[in-house]
Each structure stands twice: as C-alpha cells, then as structure tokens.
Amino acid sequence: MDAGIAPGSGALGDRVKGIILKPTEEWPRIAAEAKSEGDILRGYVLPLAAIGPVASFIGGQVFGYGAFGFSYRPPLVGGIVTALISFAMAILSVYVLMFIANFLAPKFEGQADRPAAFRLVAYSYTAGWIVGIFSLVPMLGFFGLLGLYSIYLLYTGAMPMMKVPEAKAAGYTAVTIACAILLMLVVTPITAAITGLVGFGAASMSANEDAGGAVTLPGGKEM
C-alpha cells in the first residue's frame, strides 16, 4: 500500500464517490498510487464501462425504443451483440483517449507519462459511465447529458496527473476533447455499420426461429 493512501480508498465505490464528489482531492491520491494499468482496467474500467451497454440491453428488451406511440424492441441476439460491441468500443475509447492525452501533454508544458495518462482517462470517464444506468428506461436517456461532467474531471486531473500548468489546463482539456470528438465522428459510423449488419443477421435468424424483435404501433398493435 502506498504511503498516505487510506485503507480501502481504492475500493470501487469509494473511488467513484471520491472522483465524482471531490475530484480536486481525489486526483492527488490517484497520482500517488502505484496501481498497474491491468489492475485499473479489471477493477474499475471493465465494471463501470459495462453499465451503459447492459442497461441499454435490458431497457431495449423490456421497454423498447421509440416515441409517439411507436416502439421497437430489438431481437434478443441482436441486442446482446450490440451490447458487446458497445462495451468493446467503450474500452477501446479509453486507450485511444489515453494516447491522445499522453501525446498532447508536452504540447501544453506537461509531461508525457503513459501510466498517468491511462489513470487520467480511466477515472475521468467515471461520470459518463455512471449515467449509463439511465439507459434502463430509454425515455430517460436525456439524463446522459450529465455525463458531460467527465470533461470537468479531465480538466481537474490534468494538473496532478500530467503536470500541465494550471494556466494551460483548460486548453489541454479542450484540445483533448476536440480530438476525441473528431475520432468519434470517424468511429461512430463504423460502429453503426457493424451494429446494422448484426441487426440484419439477427432479424434474419429471428424470421426463421421466431425469436426476433417486435414493433408496437400506436394503439398497442404489435407487429
């Protein structure tokens, strides 16, 4: 155990609470830890990144997606594979943003440090992952905007983790997020195409095995 780190401070619940409620106090603790990338991935990233995909899958199967009386409940197989793809993309985004954050740090008078960059990104994503729980009820999906708090977490972590001067932390955060958005604009259509192919395959299978999704029209008629 690192000196100065309280017992149990690395527990999942304690870390989530600390980084969400008191990020300026939690980041120095994180910076002083010597946890490996693998430990953080297994003990923090994987369970939290799974919240959104699992919640979305359950919400889609129970409530379906739609509005104004129309509702679509995706086929079971398609829903499972879509959730797995979303989960994989969430993990991939951590590594991609880590490389971006690490590359940009020296450009803003900070220090390139891959382990620190991984921790910065992994813990900054906390808010975005936690609000994924709202996907259990698709109509509450707009609460996902609360995930933008992750931008603030990245900003507060830039100084203690990447040694970016306070005067340049806002610029570093803005450029890092801008690069992430550009990347997302490239990756999202690819992900949608893969998901669409999966959905088509699931629909074809469900047509043969009667295990597919359903469309509900206004008035409750189901197709």
Side-chain angles (χ1 to χ4, degrees), residues 11-107:
L12 180 61
D14 291 339
R15 179 48 47 83
V16 169
K17 181 179 178 181
I19 200 67
I20 292 293
L21 299 180
K22 298 179 179 180
T24 55
E25 296 179 14
E26 194 69 15
W27 280 120
R29 297 192 187 102
I30 293 172
E33 292 175 355
K35 284 188 175 182
S36 70
E37 187 175 305
D39 288 338
I40 297 172
L41 177 65
R42 291 187 297 271
Y44 197 87
V45 174
L46 294 181
L48 292 187
I51 292 175
V54 171
S56 184
F57 167 72
I58 295 174
Q61 293 299 309
V62 175
F63 299 103
Y65 304 99
F68 307 110
F70 292 91
S71 177
Y72 170 68
R73 182 168 56 82
L76 179 62
V77 175
I80 292 174
V81 178
T82 297
L84 290 174
I85 292 174
S86 298
F87 179 62
M89 295 306 297
I91 303 305
L92 177 62
S93 69
V94 172
Y95 283 93
V96 172
L97 191 57
M98 173 197 71
F99 282 114
I100 293 174
N102 194 47
F103 172 78
L104 289 176
K107 315 299 181 185

Side-chain angles (χ1 to χ4, degrees), residues 134-188:
F134 290 113
S135 296
L136 275 172
V137 182
M139 67 180 64
L140 298 181
F142 63 90
F143 279 112
L145 291 174
L146 295 174
L148 293 175
Y149 184 65
S150 282
I151 297 176
Y152 176 71
L153 296 181
L154 183 66
Y155 165 73
T156 55
M159 292 170 276
M161 300 307 298
M162 307 308 296
K163 312 305 179 187
V164 174
E166 183 176 0
K168 294 183 178 292
Y172 170 74
T173 302
V175 175
T176 301
I177 294 300
C179 290
I181 291 174
L182 290 175
L183 178 68
M184 185 176 65
L185 292 176
V186 174
V187 172
T188 298

